[in-house]
Amino acid sequence: MFINKFNRPFIIVIIVILVVVMMVVGLRWRNPPEQLTLTLGKAASFAPIQTHSLTSFQPESPPYYNRKPFTELTDNEKQEIVWKSLNRSDALVRDIKMRCRLQGVRAKPFQFDEFNVGKPRLLLYRKSIKMLFSSNPKTGSSSFKKFFFKLDGVKNPRNVHYPNGHYMFAKKTALTNKTFYDSFRVGTLRNPLIRFVSGFRDKVLRKGQFRDTINPQKKNLTEFEMFEAFIRIMYQNAITQSNSPFLGNKHFVPQWHNMRVCSFPYSLLIQYENGNLDTDAMQLITNTTHIEYSPSRKEGGEDSLSSDDITYAWLARLDRDLLNVLQNEIYGLDFAILGYAKWGEKSFPFINNVLV
């Protein structure tokens, strides 16, 4: 068919528009949905962050918080604690939503229905204080479970994990649409590197899981050598086992997925690194200051040090390629979406730009 020369510009414009639309649609469906999908490779970049020598820098100290017993707090001090915590959490939630969009994570809005689209992995509910807790392994979830047990009159709760600790599971029958949106919805986050070390020490060193996979020849490996081997195994598993990456263990699944941070409507996101301020605010809001909130235990391991101390010691020795695999490949989306500082960045182990 003969095309009039005056119609050619119009046809060219139509073709350009169609090409752009096809590119946008294609990019959308190539980006990861909010399901267990490991995206290997670099995440979308942000503004440059000041870094230090990876082997000599000292992590930043936590923001100062002059903690007092609740009975010694004035009303103004209580209001300031709540305001600071909620203000920081609101800023963090907004930042995470923006980062989710930047990373192209297709998060369906949370729907309270029988299918609970966008629901976190495990929700614990206490009707007496109208509180929902999103249990995220290795971020202080044991402390919350102990706290819930104490609300029920158990003075020294010990076995707070499955099945004992999951009696509080938020089943469909425990919540309605109204009670859900009236509830105070809390979740906890932790720097992905320290959380990974904590999970390794708990599951591998303390409980002996994956030891045969890590050390099939039964060599006399140090804890650090086992740690290096475990990173290699995690990376290989994440590449080859698309249906069950992260060794099929929830303790190593990235937090952005466990927590469904791109879609779930959190009232308060607690940063593990600044936990005292946030947990104090949580108790003030829920009127539970009469209950002692116990800090998380320290895992047994090298010199019985905390996972923070072990992380700093091990990362300073870790091969740079393995460090790159750990924080840019395996947990690349965790860092990109949650905004945590990586090893060597000035504000490690905290979340960048959300310190109040």
Side-chain angles (χ1 to χ4, degrees), residues 119-137 140-149 151 160-171 174-175 180 183-188 264 266:
K119 183 178 74 67
R121 183 191 67 86
L122 177 63
L123 287 174
L124 305 179
Y125 180 60
R126 294 307 291 134
K127 183 178 179 180
S128 60
I129 57 174
K130 297 182 179 180
M131 179 174 156
L132 270 174
F133 174 63
S134 177
S135 183
N136 181 24
S141 59
S142 296
S143 294
F144 268 89
K145 292 173 184 176
K146 291 178 182 178
F147 174 68
F148 282 177
F149 268 104
L151 284 172
V160 297
H161 296 291
Y162 185 84
N164 290 7
H166 291 189
Y167 79 98
M168 300 163 288
F169 180 67
K171 297 179 181 179
L175 286 169
F180 172 82
S183 67
F184 188 57
R185 301 174 295 277
V186 180
T188 52
F264 192 75
Y266 285 101

Side-chain angles (χ1 to χ4, degrees), residues 1-41:
M1 181 178 65
F2 177 77
I3 299 177
N4 188 296
K5 65 179 180 179
F6 296 105
N7 292 332
R8 288 178 183 173
F10 176 77
I11 293 173
I12 292 173
V13 170
I14 295 298
I15 293 174
V16 170
I17 292 175
L18 289 174
V19 170
V20 171
V21 170
M22 291 175 66
M23 290 177 63
V24 170
V25 173
L27 285 173
R28 178 185 177 187
W29 290 106
R30 280 200 300 272
N31 287 330
E34 195 181 28
Q35 59 188 23
L36 187 50
T37 302
L38 175 67
T39 300
L40 297 177

Side-chain angles (χ1 to χ4, degrees), residues 41-42 54 231 235 318-332 342:
K42 295 182 179 179
L54 295 180
I231 295 174
Y235 184 58
L318 191 63
D319 177 84
R320 296 305 96 180
D321 289 338
L322 283 181
L323 177 62
N324 178 66
V325 162
L326 189 58
Q327 63 184 7
N328 295 327
E329 305 280 358
I330 297 176
Y331 293 110
K342 297 179 181 179

Side-chain angles (χ1 to χ4, degrees), residues 280-306:
D280 281 359
M282 178 270 295
Q283 289 195 259
L284 288 168
I285 292 169
T286 57
N287 195 28
T288 55
T289 54
H290 60 289
I291 301 294
E292 180 187 5
Y293 183 87
S294 304
S296 297
R297 59 171 170 74
K298 292 185 176 181
E299 300 90 350
E302 188 175 282
D303 300 326
S304 296
L305 297 173
S306 71

Side-chain angles (χ1 to χ4, degrees), residues 151-254:
L151 284 172
D152 287 344
V154 181
K155 294 183 178 180
N156 296 303
R158 296 184 180 277
N159 184 14
V160 297
H161 296 291
Y162 185 84
N164 290 7
H166 291 189
Y167 79 98
M168 300 163 288
F169 180 67
K171 297 179 181 179
K172 289 184 294 183
T173 54
L175 286 169
T176 65
N177 187 69
K178 184 180 185 303
T179 55
F180 172 82
Y181 286 105
D182 284 345
S183 67
F184 188 57
R185 301 174 295 277
V186 180
T188 52
L189 302 172
R190 191 177 190 180
N191 186 286
L193 295 181
I194 301 178
R195 177 175 176 263
F196 177 75
V197 171
S198 177
F200 169 78
R201 298 179 73 203
D202 181 27
K203 300 307 169 187
V204 178
L205 299 185
R206 291 181 65 245
K207 298 180 179 176
Q209 298 179 19
F210 310 115
R211 280 181 177 263
D212 291 340
T213 305
I214 295 172
N215 188 16
Q217 298 179 357
K218 310 296 183 183
K219 294 181 180 179
N220 187 24
L221 299 180
T222 65
E223 292 183 350
F224 177 70
E225 289 171 334
M226 293 178 65
F227 178 66
E228 290 184 307
F230 189 63
I231 295 174
R232 294 187 178 94
I233 291 170
M234 279 281 294
Y235 184 58
Q236 186 62 32
N237 178 264
I239 294 174
T240 59
Q241 303 297 323
S242 60
N243 292 327
S244 183
F246 310 104
L247 303 174
N249 191 301
K250 61 183 180 294
H251 294 81
F252 303 109
V253 172

Side-chain angles (χ1 to χ4, degrees), residues 59-86:
E60 192 170 276
S61 298
Y64 179 71
Y65 170 48
N66 184 21
R67 193 179 196 192
K68 298 179 182 179
F70 287 118
T71 54
E72 296 180 11
L73 292 173
T74 65
D75 289 342
N76 286 339
E77 288 174 326
K78 292 177 181 178
Q79 291 175 5
E80 183 179 7
I81 290 171
V82 171
W83 180 86
K84 279 188 174 182
S85 181
L86 291 180

